[in-house]
Amino acid sequence: MQNNYSKVVLITGASSGIGKATAYTLMEKGFKVYGTSRKIASETTVKAKKGNGFLKMIPLDVCSQESIDNCIKYILKEESSIDILINNAGFGIAGSVEDTSFEEAFKQFDTNFFGVLRMCRAVLPKMREQKNGLIINISSVAGLISIPYQSMYSASKYALEAMTEALRIEVKQFGIKVSMVEPGDTKTGFTAKREYTHNSLNSVYSDKFKKSIKTMERDEQNAPSPKLVVNAILKIINSDNPPIRITAGFSYKILVFLKRLLPSRFVEYVVSKIYS
Ligand SMILES: NC(=O)c1ccc[n+]([C@@H]2O[C@H](COP(=O)([O-])OP(=O)(O)OC[C@H]3O[C@@H](n4cnc5c(N)ncnc54)[C@H](OP(=O)(O)O)[C@@H]3O)[C@@H](O)[C@H]2O)c1
């Protein structure tokens, strides 16, 4: 792979939160960053304060194959490679399992899981041709520990964890590396954009649901900035042999470690004390 400082990076969901913080950090380090948003009609470019790095924002909806095809075509017209793909776009739908319609469940998976699948399938042919590449999927601690009233969000991230582990083995033979970052609560636009299932505020689960949501929102709004997650992404980019996953933040690392050691019933007790 060429020197880090001239690498081409594609980050989905770079208009806000973790994606935006990552895009600006990489641009300042000299990367050619293509960030995406559904909300822009045409590209806009910001240049790094020093050096040749830039951030070009281009339109993309990871739920639309046509939008993905246009995005990849655009980048490959501008650049000769796509070196790093960061699958960051995502959102959350909250509500009890019983209150979740199939359409709501699918909508959650369409962005958080199928969106990543579509993006990987779109860049892999180019990465195989280059004989190198790096894919970083932004998962979540909720992809390792399931959270009540966020079951579809957790399920979409558990599915992402499973796909990422398999993909990593499959594409190693082509010189392509795959890794995940698992953020815990992070202060971003995620909280304000969380959707609720259609009858979550008017169902037999509503009282517990509301308490649970209040806890989640308070924790997210009091959480650290995306810096911890950006640092984990940088660690992966700078590694010759990136790990399968990095859980961002010391307390979450401990939590994930304890989940593997402690009996499942104990973990369930703790999670239900926090959220239910
Ligand atoms: N914040 C947390 O506590 C937390 C914890 C664990 C994991 N995460 C994960 O971190 C990632 C980033 O989230 P964030 O916290 O930074 O949230 P955010 O501030 O709401 O940013 C989400 C980004 O995703 C983009 N997006 C959403 N749906 C999209 C779609 N269909 N196609 C393309 N882009 C789409 C949004 O862009 P536009 O709306 O401009 O298109 C936005 O830039 C997500 O995968 C999330 O699951 C977050």
Side-chain angles (χ1 to χ4, degrees):
M1 236 189 242
Q2 76 265 45
N3 177 322
N4 252 356
Y5 302 104
S6 54
K7 279 182 185 166
V8 177
V9 187
L10 168 56
I11 308 179
T12 67
S15 62
S16 156
I18 292 167
K20 186 174 180 181
T22 306
Y24 275 82
T25 302
L26 292 180
M27 167 184 84
E28 293 300 344
K29 288 192 177 293
F31 289 83
K32 298 174 181 179
V33 183
Y34 289 80
T36 77
S37 167
R38 290 165 298 178
K39 294 181 189 128
I40 50 172
S42 60
E43 73 266 13
T44 51
T45 306
V46 186
K47 288 196 184 309
K49 289 184 196 114
K50 273 190 213 155
N52 295 327
F54 64 77
L55 165 60
K56 202 173 252 196
M57 288 297 292
I58 55 176
L60 173 73
D61 180 350
V62 299
C63 299
S64 156
Q65 189 61 50
E66 189 188 354
S67 170
I68 292 173
D69 292 343
N70 289 338
C71 166
I72 302 298
K73 210 189 289 171
Y74 178 85
I75 298 173
L76 291 179
K77 197 162 56 84
E78 302 286 306
E79 309 289 345
S80 57
S81 63
I82 298 178
D83 303 301
I84 303 172
L85 166 65
I86 304 178
N87 282 307
N88 164 77
F91 81 108
I93 293 183
S96 72
V97 173
E98 190 178 343
D99 287 332
T100 305
S101 67
F102 175 80
E103 288 72 22
E104 286 161 341
F106 181 76
K107 186 177 177 190
Q108 180 70 97
F109 272 73
D110 204 14
T111 300
N112 292 11
F113 178 74
F114 293 115
V116 177
L117 172 61
R118 291 186 195 99
M119 290 304 298
C120 289
R121 295 191 68 232
V123 301
L124 279 169
K126 185 65 190 168
M127 287 186 171
R128 279 192 292 100
E129 183 195 304
Q130 293 164 191
K131 297 189 172 54
N132 69 52
L134 171 65
I135 296 176
I136 303 174
N137 291 339
I138 306 303
S139 176
S140 171
V141 170
L144 300 168
I145 299 172
S146 196
I147 302 178
Y149 307 106
Q150 287 204 79
S151 61
M152 292 306 131
Y153 178 72
S154 277
S156 69
K157 296 292 189 181
Y158 266 70
L160 179 60
E161 292 267 333
M163 179 171 72
T164 307
E165 286 180 7
L167 177 67
R168 185 175 152 98
I169 299 168
E170 289 170 9
V171 298
K172 192 174 177 205
Q173 61 184 313
F174 303 112
I176 301 166
K177 296 165 185 167
V178 183
S179 244
M180 277 177 279
V181 176
E182 291 148 348
D185 288 328
T186 308
K187 190 171 179 176
T188 66
F190 189 88
T191 311
K193 288 179 223 158
R194 177 178 280 117
E195 296 183 16
Y196 294 178
T197 58
H198 62 288
N199 61 342
S200 53
L201 297 175
N202 183 26
S203 90
V204 294
Y205 298 94
S206 294
D207 287 349
K208 290 216 170 197
F209 169 76
K210 283 182 204 159
K211 277 188 202 148
S212 180
I213 281 288
K214 215 169 149 190
T215 305
M216 277 173 221
E217 294 190 341
R218 187 204 55 211
D219 290 350
E220 287 162 6
Q221 287 313 296
N222 291 322
S225 78
K227 198 167 186 301
L228 280 177
V229 186
V230 176
N231 287 344
I233 291 170
L234 285 175
K235 199 169 169 187
I236 290 170
I237 291 176
N238 289 324
S239 167
D240 289 335
N241 184 18
I244 300 175
R245 52 172 57 79
I246 297 183
T247 305
F250 183 70
S251 55
Y252 289 107
K253 280 189 209 309
I254 299 284
L255 195 67
V256 168
F257 179 68
L258 288 178
K259 190 202 168 179
R260 292 194 187 108
L261 290 185
L262 295 170
S264 302
R265 272 185 193 277
F266 182 74
V267 175
E268 181 189 58
Y269 172 79
V270 173
V271 172
S272 70
K273 275 283 163 210
I274 299 171
Y275 291 108
S276 189

